[in-house]
Amino acid sequence: MNIRTLLLLVGIIVGASRGAFAQRAIWASKIVDVSSQKAEGKEAFSPEKVLGEPNAQPLGQVSNDAWIPRKEGASEFIEVRFGRSMLARQVTVVENFNPGSVIKIELVDTRGERHQVYENKNPGPLPELFRSLQVTFEPATYRTIGVVVTMNTAKVNGVNQIDAIGIADVVDTMVKQEFKSEPSAANVDSSMFNLGPNVNTRYVDTHPVISPDGRSLFFARQGSPQNIGGAKDPQDVWYATIANPKTKAWNPAKNIGGPINTPGPNGLASVSSDGNTALLINVYRPDGSMEPKGASLTRRSQIGWSAPVKVEIEDFYNDDPENVDYFLATSGKVLLMALQRKDTQGGQDIYVSFLKEDGKSWGKPRNLGADINTKKPEFAPFLAADGKTLYFASEGHGGYGKSDIFYSKRLDESWTKWTKPRNLGPNVNSTDFDAYYTISAAGEDAYLVSSRNGTDNSRDIFRINLASQFKPEVVTLVKGRVLDASTKKPVAAKIRYENLLTGEEIGVADTNPVDGSYTIVLPSGAHYGYRAEAANYLSESDNLDVTDREKYSEVNQDLYLVPFVVGQLIKLNNIFFAQSKFYLRENSYPELQRLIRILKEYSTVEIKLEGHTDNQGDPALNTKLSQDRVNEVKKYLVQHGISANRITTEGYGGSKPIASNDQEETRKLNRRVEFRITKK
């Protein structure tokens, strides 16, 4: 084997390096705009080749895995976005072939404004076969969400290629060249731990599903005499709860019982972030029998789990009904499946389906593409709580046994562009069967099924601790209860949460029907709003900014529903203004759009907008500021079709505090906009 064969481009990414550098670098995940593409319409050389980690090979030669513009002179450009924002200290542009044409690099902040950080007034060819153009600078006050790279390709003869664009919050080199003869494998920082006799038995214990909070483990047990149908029962769903989070010991597992378990083959594929919805394998018929042509959903009720209902999926079929896997993402809006269909690469492939606007049915399954699927089976998909990191089992990507566990990062919203799958290595994968990988929202503990060292040679469930560089991206777990604002009693409701900058709804969840509790998971890098919805109530939204949160955290926040009656006062918590100004910020628009929908739906309702400030500064100026702010809100509502006659306004300044003004933490609660129902 010659040296050219051995030379691979290895992305040594700051975010994937050892120690304290975890999560400090990100690569582009979305194309916003591009000037041109060579061989337009072809997969090779497309702008999407810029997304993700550097992967163009061989170095110094034209590659199908890098973008080529059409050679139109000084106006060639590409604009990308990242999966989260960052206080950047560097930008790196990987020029795979014919480097030297980049003349300008601009960072795009979360408000869409551009900031130039690099200029080259004398572009020209460079002698390097490959270049990683690294531009470093002092961290700015704005957060970077995108990059625009402009090229003068007329100054560099021949084909010009860009392979990747990334940013980092440190100045360490993001990419370097290395000699490496094999793809790198992930390592774990501790050995695997058998969960012990409270979970594992001499029977086959398989298909583990950990709840996002890491406190409940669901799994399947085969051939146990304690199954609903006895020892001849093919499989039942069991569950265990954490006994001691510090020692990670589990209480004795229990059979989950009916209606989930029947004398037939029962399996739980995933559980929602709130633990109140479970996705089950097979379709449950009214007579209790099973049909292997789909999946079912069951929800917690006040007396236990509800009767499973078939999941309606457009154009659903599976040519191999004996082999199927499902996974419901923590957002409640993404469904992964391992199926065999007409467009399958070979064996089982992994597909994705999205919740339709009706909130009840699902779209046509979409193949994840050749980045993930091979001519051999891919199965057991698990999407981490960040919504981007996919873990799955494969027989076709190579490895240590018949099936190994791999992981890959989603690069864009097409769900067909992924980073090259990486084998989790010999400490996770063995020469035996290894599959069904599941990980909590915290990213600390992962669980999988393996045949190695099982109880009496059966398959057992194991726990591992992943090293930090192989964890999913950081998320925040938000928990609380939904309460009636008047009575403080729990209310059964639906939770919706959205990105306040884009207005995009990220996910949905249901409250526990007994105590009104809820749980949602928010990936870092954005400012979110969330609210509860229930009939005959108006919701008081709340918000959480996790834009720069770099460690897993849990937040407790109760949500309140206000009875829809005259005289009730509702806080608009997600209305934001510039400091000491009355101009509305863009992240206020989702909240205002909801108020507009309410006023249009209830066309006779009239409201009074009430503005408040804290007690800092001149009282007269505070009163004027609060009045100007509610006038600005009214102006927005009127501009969007609400009659001005239905809205009155009043500014109270700091005269009606709801919290102490002694400290900023409580003082900020007094700066608010509310509306009162004056006529229904």
Side-chain angles (χ1 to χ4, degrees), residues 202-204 221-236 238 255 262-265:
R202 64 187 182 90
Y203 309 102
V204 173
R221 181 170 290 169
Q222 299 173 359
S224 169
Q226 294 179 304
N227 284 353
I228 292 292
K232 294 182 180 180
D233 191 331
Q235 182 172 286
D236 266 11
W238 289 64
N255 189 303
T262 69

Side-chain angles (χ1 to χ4, degrees), residues 340-463:
Q340 186 165 323
R341 293 167 61 88
K342 292 178 181 178
D343 61 341
T344 295
Q345 305 281 336
Q348 280 178 288
D349 272 10
I350 300 176
Y351 291 77
V352 64
S353 181
F354 305 103
L355 186 66
K356 292 185 176 181
E357 289 187 4
D358 62 13
K360 299 178 182 178
S361 58
W362 296 81
K364 182 179 178 180
R366 179 187 305 175
N367 194 298
L368 293 192
D371 289 343
I372 298 297
N373 295 313
T374 69
K375 293 182 179 180
K376 292 186 178 181
E378 276 72 42
F379 57 101
F382 176 85
L383 189 68
D386 61 10
K388 296 179 181 179
T389 308
L390 175 69
Y391 300 87
F392 65 100
S394 173
E395 296 181 12
H397 283 288
Y400 302 90
K402 182 181 180 182
S403 67
D404 276 13
I405 300 171
F406 293 79
Y407 82 98
S408 176
K409 295 270 189 180
R410 180 167 59 87
L411 296 176
D412 61 19
E413 297 304 315
S414 73
W415 288 78
T416 59
K417 305 293 183 182
W418 300 82
T419 62
K420 183 177 180 180
R422 295 184 64 189
N423 191 299
L424 289 188
N427 288 337
V428 174
N429 294 309
S430 69
T431 56
D432 291 323
F433 176 91
D434 303 288
Y436 300 105
Y437 185 95
T438 178
I439 188 169
S440 64
E444 297 290 341
D445 298 313
Y447 300 83
L448 74 156
V449 170
S450 180
S451 298
R452 82 190 84 175
N453 301 322
T455 305
D456 295 333
N457 297 316
S458 71
R459 291 177 183 174
D460 275 3
I461 300 171
F462 293 79
R463 172 178 59 82

Side-chain angles (χ1 to χ4, degrees), residues 267-312:
L268 188 147
S270 57
V271 63
S272 62
S273 61
D274 49 37
N276 296 321
T277 302
L279 180 68
L280 307 175
I281 296 172
N282 295 323
V283 175
Y284 285 64
R285 296 191 183 100
D287 63 3
S289 60
M290 312 292 293
E291 179 183 345
K293 294 183 179 180
S296 301
L297 279 176
T298 177
R299 304 181 190 278
R300 288 190 191 272
S301 68
Q302 293 185 346
I303 58 173
W305 292 94
S306 66
V309 176
K310 181 181 179 180
V311 177
E312 298 294 341

Side-chain angles (χ1 to χ4, degrees), residues 16-18 180 183-192 391 400 405 407 422-429 437 444 446 464-471:
S17 62
R18 291 180 294 273
K180 196 167 185 68
S184 59
N187 292 316
V188 293
D189 61 7
S190 65
S191 60
M192 296 175 62
Y391 300 87
Y400 302 90
I405 300 171
Y407 82 98
R422 295 184 64 189
N423 191 299
L424 289 188
N427 288 337
V428 174
N429 294 309
Y437 185 95
E444 297 290 341
I464 60 174
N465 297 320
L466 277 182
S468 60
Q469 61 263 42
F470 301 112
K471 295 177 182 177

Side-chain angles (χ1 to χ4, degrees), residues 96-110:
N96 180 64
F97 187 66
N98 271 350
S101 65
V102 176
I103 58 174
K104 183 169 63 175
I105 300 177
E106 299 166 286
L107 305 185
V108 182
D109 67 23
T110 53

Side-chain angles (χ1 to χ4, degrees), residues 479-508:
K479 306 175 73 173
R481 294 197 302 162
V482 175
L483 304 171
D484 183 303
S486 299
T487 66
K488 302 300 187 290
K489 292 183 178 179
V491 179
K494 186 173 290 293
I495 309 296
R496 297 186 182 276
Y497 50 106
E498 64 197 352
N499 184 321
L500 287 177
L501 185 63
T502 65
E504 177 190 4
E505 184 174 272
I506 303 300
V508 294

